[in-house]
PDB file of all heavy atoms in Angstrom:
ATOM      1  N   THR A 269      15.616 -52.113  29.776  1.00 98.00           N
ATOM      2  CA  THR A 269      14.846 -53.094  30.524  1.00 98.00           C
ATOM      3  C   THR A 269      13.365 -52.883  30.410  1.00 98.00           C
ATOM      4  O   THR A 269      12.609 -53.838  30.244  1.00 98.00           O
ATOM      5  CB  THR A 269      15.243 -53.157  32.006  1.00 98.00           C
ATOM      6  OG1 THR A 269      16.684 -53.352  32.071  1.00 98.00           O
ATOM      7  CG2 THR A 269      14.535 -54.303  32.731  1.00 98.00           C
ATOM      8  N   ALA A 291      16.147 -29.731  30.325  1.00 78.00           N
ATOM      9  CA  ALA A 291      17.222 -30.565  29.864  1.00 78.00           C
ATOM     10  C   ALA A 291      17.085 -30.979  28.344  1.00 78.00           C
ATOM     11  O   ALA A 291      18.086 -31.493  27.853  1.00 78.00           O
ATOM     12  CB  ALA A 291      17.215 -31.835  30.752  1.00 78.00           C
ATOM     13  N   SER A 293      15.563 -33.207  24.989  1.00 91.00           N
ATOM     14  CA  SER A 293      15.093 -34.500  24.613  1.00 91.00           C
ATOM     15  C   SER A 293      15.949 -35.600  25.008  1.00 91.00           C
ATOM     16  O   SER A 293      17.198 -35.411  25.111  1.00 91.00           O
ATOM     17  CB  SER A 293      14.866 -34.589  23.101  1.00 91.00           C
ATOM     18  OG  SER A 293      13.893 -33.636  22.587  1.00 91.00           O
ATOM     19  N   GLY A 325      18.121 -34.054  61.296  1.00 97.00           N
ATOM     20  CA  GLY A 325      19.234 -33.318  61.988  1.00 97.00           C
ATOM     21  C   GLY A 325      20.253 -32.749  61.012  1.00 97.00           C
ATOM     22  O   GLY A 325      21.153 -32.045  61.533  1.00 97.00           O
ATOM     23  N   GLU A 349      24.980 -24.290  42.361  1.00 98.00           N
ATOM     24  CA  GLU A 349      26.222 -23.462  42.172  1.00 98.00           C
ATOM     25  C   GLU A 349      26.178 -22.305  43.163  1.00 98.00           C
ATOM     26  O   GLU A 349      27.162 -21.769  43.651  1.00 98.00           O
ATOM     27  CB  GLU A 349      26.318 -23.002  40.789  1.00 98.00           C
ATOM     28  CG  GLU A 349      26.789 -24.148  39.756  1.00 98.00           C
ATOM     29  CD  GLU A 349      26.763 -23.660  38.357  1.00 98.00           C
ATOM     30  OE1 GLU A 349      26.336 -22.621  38.056  1.00 98.00           O
ATOM     31  OE2 GLU A 349      27.386 -24.416  37.549  1.00 98.00           O
ATOM     32  N   ASP A 362      17.881 -42.689  39.269  1.00 88.00           N
ATOM     33  CA  ASP A 362      16.769 -41.795  39.297  1.00 88.00           C
ATOM     34  C   ASP A 362      16.746 -41.072  40.592  1.00 88.00           C
ATOM     35  O   ASP A 362      17.450 -41.232  41.497  1.00 88.00           O
ATOM     36  CB  ASP A 362      15.449 -42.552  39.047  1.00 88.00           C
ATOM     37  CG  ASP A 362      15.106 -43.503  40.180  1.00 88.00           C
ATOM     38  OD1 ASP A 362      14.994 -43.118  41.328  1.00 88.00           O
ATOM     39  OD2 ASP A 362      14.938 -44.674  39.894  1.00 88.00           O
ATOM     40  N   LYS A 368      16.576 -42.880  48.392  1.00 96.00           N
ATOM     41  CA  LYS A 368      16.577 -44.182  49.195  1.00 96.00           C
ATOM     42  C   LYS A 368      18.048 -44.378  49.641  1.00 96.00           C
ATOM     43  O   LYS A 368      18.269 -44.889  50.841  1.00 96.00           O
ATOM     44  CB  LYS A 368      16.143 -45.298  48.317  1.00 96.00           C
ATOM     45  CG  LYS A 368      15.959 -46.592  48.946  1.00 96.00           C
ATOM     46  CD  LYS A 368      15.377 -47.642  48.022  1.00 96.00           C
ATOM     47  CE  LYS A 368      14.978 -48.974  48.781  1.00 96.00           C
ATOM     48  NZ  LYS A 368      16.177 -49.596  49.338  1.00 96.00           N
ATOM     49  N   ASN A 393      13.726 -35.298  55.487  1.00 98.00           N
ATOM     50  CA  ASN A 393      13.182 -33.926  55.691  1.00 98.00           C
ATOM     51  C   ASN A 393      13.441 -33.137  54.476  1.00 98.00           C
ATOM     52  O   ASN A 393      14.390 -33.319  53.765  1.00 98.00           O
ATOM     53  CB  ASN A 393      13.954 -33.319  56.891  1.00 98.00           C
ATOM     54  CG  ASN A 393      13.523 -33.952  58.198  1.00 98.00           C
ATOM     55  OD1 ASN A 393      12.544 -34.651  58.343  1.00 98.00           O
ATOM     56  ND2 ASN A 393      14.281 -33.726  59.261  1.00 98.00           N
ATOM     57  N   LYS A 414       2.801 -52.568  22.877  1.00 95.00           N
ATOM     58  CA  LYS A 414       3.212 -53.281  21.671  1.00 95.00           C
ATOM     59  C   LYS A 414       2.253 -53.124  20.547  1.00 95.00           C
ATOM     60  O   LYS A 414       2.592 -53.399  19.378  1.00 95.00           O
ATOM     61  CB  LYS A 414       3.230 -54.876  21.939  1.00 95.00           C
ATOM     62  CG  LYS A 414       4.417 -55.322  22.833  1.00 95.00           C
ATOM     63  CD  LYS A 414       4.479 -56.779  23.015  1.00 95.00           C
ATOM     64  CE  LYS A 414       4.885 -57.540  21.673  1.00 95.00           C
ATOM     65  NZ  LYS A 414       5.127 -58.985  21.811  1.00 95.00           N
ATOM     66  N   ASN A 417      -2.975 -47.480  18.974  1.00 83.00           N
ATOM     67  CA  ASN A 417      -4.362 -47.101  19.112  1.00 83.00           C
ATOM     68  C   ASN A 417      -4.966 -47.037  17.575  1.00 83.00           C
ATOM     69  O   ASN A 417      -4.311 -46.788  16.631  1.00 83.00           O
ATOM     70  CB  ASN A 417      -4.542 -45.681  19.661  1.00 83.00           C
ATOM     71  CG  ASN A 417      -4.177 -45.645  21.095  1.00 83.00           C
ATOM     72  OD1 ASN A 417      -4.502 -46.644  21.765  1.00 83.00           O
ATOM     73  ND2 ASN A 417      -3.600 -44.567  21.589  1.00 83.00           N
ATOM     74  N   LEU A 442       7.813 -30.730   5.457  1.00 96.00           N
ATOM     75  CA  LEU A 442       7.253 -29.753   6.442  1.00 96.00           C
ATOM     76  C   LEU A 442       6.225 -28.935   5.803  1.00 96.00           C
ATOM     77  O   LEU A 442       5.101 -28.667   6.392  1.00 96.00           O
ATOM     78  CB  LEU A 442       8.336 -28.888   6.998  1.00 96.00           C
ATOM     79  CG  LEU A 442       9.463 -29.658   7.746  1.00 96.00           C
ATOM     80  CD1 LEU A 442      10.495 -28.672   8.280  1.00 96.00           C
ATOM     81  CD2 LEU A 442       8.945 -30.571   8.748  1.00 96.00           C
ATOM     82  N   LYS A 447       0.390 -27.286   4.406  1.00 97.00           N
ATOM     83  CA  LYS A 447      -0.636 -27.078   3.410  1.00 97.00           C
ATOM     84  C   LYS A 447      -1.914 -27.833   3.826  1.00 97.00           C
ATOM     85  O   LYS A 447      -2.990 -27.455   3.384  1.00 97.00           O
ATOM     86  CB  LYS A 447      -0.119 -27.530   2.127  1.00 97.00           C
ATOM     87  CG  LYS A 447       0.897 -26.651   1.436  1.00 97.00           C
ATOM     88  CD  LYS A 447       1.189 -27.037   0.007  1.00 97.00           C
ATOM     89  CE  LYS A 447       1.924 -28.308   0.049  1.00 97.00           C
ATOM     90  NZ  LYS A 447       2.473 -28.695  -1.386  1.00 97.00           N
ATOM     91  N   PRO A 464      27.529 -41.176   9.645  1.00 82.00           N
ATOM     92  CA  PRO A 464      27.832 -39.803   9.815  1.00 82.00           C
ATOM     93  C   PRO A 464      26.970 -38.910   8.861  1.00 82.00           C
ATOM     94  O   PRO A 464      26.838 -39.227   7.701  1.00 82.00           O
ATOM     95  CB  PRO A 464      29.314 -39.665   9.739  1.00 82.00           C
ATOM     96  CG  PRO A 464      29.810 -41.002   9.834  1.00 82.00           C
ATOM     97  CD  PRO A 464      28.772 -41.964   9.392  1.00 82.00           C
ATOM     98  N   ILE A 497       5.005 -44.280  11.505  1.00 96.00           N
ATOM     99  CA  ILE A 497       4.076 -43.747  12.411  1.00 96.00           C
ATOM    100  C   ILE A 497       4.362 -44.412  13.764  1.00 96.00           C
ATOM    101  O   ILE A 497       4.035 -45.607  13.820  1.00 96.00           O
ATOM    102  CB  ILE A 497       2.621 -43.866  11.965  1.00 96.00           C
ATOM    103  CG1 ILE A 497       2.401 -43.106  10.617  1.00 96.00           C
ATOM    104  CG2 ILE A 497       1.689 -43.266  13.056  1.00 96.00           C
ATOM    105  CD1 ILE A 497       1.018 -43.284  10.067  1.00 96.00           C
TER     106      ILE A 497
END
Side-chain angles (χ1 to χ4, degrees):
T269 304
S293 298
E349 290 177 346
D362 66 59
K368 189 174 188 299
N393 289 345
K414 285 185 72 171
N417 289 326
L442 302 184
K447 286 187 293 185
I497 299 174

